[in-house]
Amino acid sequence: MSTSAGEAEQAPDLRLLGPGLFAWALDAALLCGGASPAVLLLVALAAAAGAVVALFPPPHDDRLRRRVPRRVWRREGQRLPARRQLALVAAAASLASVCLWGHDSVRAAGTLESLAAARAVVTVEGVLQGDPRPVRSAPGRRVEARQVVVTLGVEAIIGRGERSVVAAPVLVVGGEEWSDIRWQERVTVTGRIMPAERGEAVVAVLRPSGPPTLLAQAPAVVRGAAYVRERFRAATARLPPDAAGLVPALVLGDTTGSSSDLTDAMTESGLAHLSAVSGSNVSILLAATLALCRVVGVRRRWRPWTAALVLAGFVVLARPEPSVLRAAVMGAVGLAGLGAARRRVGTAALSAAVIGLLCWDPWLARSYGFALSVLATLGLLLLARPWGLWLGRRLPPRARALGPALAVPVAAQTACAPVIVLIQGNVSLVAVPANLLADPLVTPATIAGIVTAAVSVAWQIGRAHV
């Protein structure tokens, strides 16, 4: 096979990237504009009608046929008419809009929004959707008591003498007493509820007037995962302070031991992504799992199922919050697209992943974390391989194999630079060198950390039976 043919086989297929990006942009615009349910449904129906017209244009309408371009995208003998491109984009827009309308309609059911608009005192019952997070006060601002925020998935609300069944997330801004409540525990609390801004991920903000009452503990699987995280923190507690806070964050996304100074230093150096579960963690875990399967002789047809089982366990261990699930999906897409034989389908998988995640949680469209995950994955798919080959050709013969490894952080950092500017207001000059130095250490640290977490639990169980 000629070199040009080989490059064509390895070239990414960009035909299906447009629908995912357009659905993302549409969701973000609708959320930022605070579109009402009626507008969302109208947009969904209009996009669906556009998809049908683009795919099946009326045979008698010559003007429409002249307006729809007949040029095709040729790629290795495949033909995809432009009207089918338009149909796919319109279908993705319709799907994203109707999912946003459905989620918004479910959240609006019940009396929660009306009670929030009246700023009423209510009693709510729900399940914690994340771990409580302390709020850092602004410089120079005096805060009488330490505040803690957490997202509560409200299932029932009592206010103005009426009990209503709801299904909506509420942001709780409470005191230190919330620090003892853990993810997936069921609580009830009384406080004043206020409306959130239209388009936010939460429906309302609750300021409790007292401590929460624990109604039920988390499920056994969640408690088991919490035990593993606790044992891992104990296993790394003897490390230096910064390492003791960074290692659990790098491996399991556990930032409870990270100091404010460490967080600031990681942000300024462009390494903040290392202190949270990201797609790179998932890619490393899946690559190590598949390599181990090859070593121990697992049959090829069982390897994907083994990797999926390991990925599911890791998601439970790292807490299946939106950020972790997003990282799991993007990591799997990135790993699938980095291979030369599968690079062409990587962008199509990325587009499908974007649409699927937006259907599952439309408010991800406004998340900086989601944008960084998508752009980093896109940078790996489009830039990592050609930049790695380019660098390899310019390195000494014995160091040419380092080209792809050096190109990975540069490609991801370059793709994420526009969003980083929006978040921080600037691009750190040390971000790329810092990532180049840290990247070779991330893989062994992640694998060693996961092994340590498993060994720490086995060691504790063994000691309990002695």
Side-chain angles (χ1 to χ4, degrees):
M1 181 181 296
S2 63
T3 304
S4 59
E7 292 177 354
E9 286 184 359
Q10 296 175 3
D13 189 348
L14 303 179
R15 293 173 297 179
L16 298 180
L17 189 60
L21 297 180
F22 186 82
W24 181 11
L26 178 63
D27 259 5
L30 292 174
L31 289 172
C32 291
S36 64
V39 172
L40 296 176
L41 187 58
L42 182 62
V43 171
L45 294 176
V52 173
V53 172
L55 192 58
F56 306 104
H60 61 277
D61 195 342
D62 294 335
R63 291 175 301 174
L64 180 61
R65 284 182 170 275
R66 286 195 298 267
R67 290 177 182 176
V68 177
R70 291 180 174 274
R71 294 189 301 272
V72 298
W73 193 319
R74 298 178 181 271
R75 180 73 65 127
E76 299 180 37
Q78 298 179 2
R79 302 166 65 89
L80 188 61
R83 58 185 177 86
R84 293 187 182 179
Q85 281 282 327
L86 297 177
L88 286 174
V89 171
S94 177
L95 180 61
S97 301
V98 76
C99 288
L100 177 56
W101 169 77
H103 281 280
D104 197 62
S105 299
V106 170
R107 287 158 48 118
T111 61
L112 192 150
E113 287 191 343
S114 59
L115 291 172
R119 298 178 179 268
V121 176
V122 299
T123 299
V124 299
E125 177 182 331
V127 177
L128 266 69
Q129 296 183 349
D131 287 324
R133 306 182 307 276
V135 178
R136 298 177 60 184
S137 60
R141 183 179 179 181
R142 298 181 61 185
V143 180
E144 297 180 358
R146 183 184 181 189
Q147 288 187 327
V148 176
V149 298
V150 65
T151 302
L152 182 68
V154 177
E155 298 177 352
I157 183 170
I158 302 175
R160 305 289 173 88
E162 180 182 358
R163 177 183 174 89
S164 176
V165 177
V166 299
V170 170
L171 182 67
V172 178
V173 183
E176 289 188 356
E177 62 272 10
W178 282 87
S179 300
D180 299 328
I181 308 298
R182 292 292 176 258
W183 176 64
Q184 287 296 300
E185 290 184 339
R186 183 180 298 276
V187 300
T188 181
V189 63
T190 300
R192 186 172 298 277
I193 194 167
M194 296 166 285
E197 294 185 7
R198 183 72 181 174
E200 291 293 329
V202 295
V203 175
V205 178
L206 178 69
R207 292 190 174 272
S209 57
T213 301
L214 181 64
L215 299 180
Q217 292 185 341
V221 175
V222 176
R223 296 199 303 272
Y227 177 75
V228 175
R229 292 163 68 94
E230 180 183 351
R231 293 308 308 163
F232 186 65
R233 285 197 301 268
T236 57
R238 296 184 179 181
L239 296 173
D242 286 346
L246 178 59
V247 173
L250 172 65
V251 178
L252 301 177
D254 186 359
T255 58
T256 54
S258 299
S259 63
S260 58
D261 293 337
L262 176 61
T263 302
D264 293 339
M266 297 290 288
T267 302
E268 292 176 2
S269 60
L271 298 174
H273 61 280
L274 297 181
S275 59
V277 175
S278 62
S280 61
N281 297 76
V282 177
S283 299
I284 292 169
L285 178 64
L286 293 180
T289 301
L290 294 176
L292 182 61
C293 287
R294 287 193 295 268
V295 171
V296 301
V298 177
R299 293 185 178 181
R300 184 180 296 272
R301 63 178 179 178
W302 292 109
R303 292 175 189 174
W305 297 103
T306 304
L309 182 62
V310 171
L311 179 59
F314 178 76
V315 168
V316 173
L317 186 60
R319 305 290 176 83
E321 298 176 351
S323 60
V324 177
L325 292 174
R326 179 192 68 228
V329 173
M330 292 303 163
V333 170
L335 181 65
L338 281 178
R342 294 163 293 180
R343 186 166 175 259
R344 290 191 63 254
V345 300
T347 50
L350 176 61
S351 181
V354 169
I355 296 173
L357 287 172
L358 291 177
C359 291
W360 169 67
D361 185 2
W363 285 266
L364 286 175
R366 294 187 58 183
S367 169
Y368 282 122
F370 178 73
L372 291 173
S373 294
V374 174
L375 292 177
T377 305
L378 186 61
L380 294 180
L381 295 175
L382 299 183
L383 305 177
R385 184 173 180 81
W387 287 9
L389 295 176
W390 182 84
L391 286 174
R393 288 193 296 265
R394 284 156 178 79
L395 291 175
R398 294 184 178 182
R400 288 179 179 176
L402 298 177
L406 295 175
V408 166
V410 178
Q413 192 74 21
T414 302
C416 295
V419 178
I420 294 175
V421 171
L422 293 177
I423 298 174
Q424 300 180 358
N426 55 54
V427 177
S428 175
L429 296 178
V430 300
V432 172
N435 278 272
L436 286 174
L437 294 174
D439 188 65
L441 305 177
V442 171
T443 298
T446 301
I447 296 175
I450 294 175
V451 172
T452 302
V455 171
S456 64
V457 176
W459 178 264
Q460 185 69 17
I461 294 175
R463 291 185 59 184
H465 286 79
V466 173

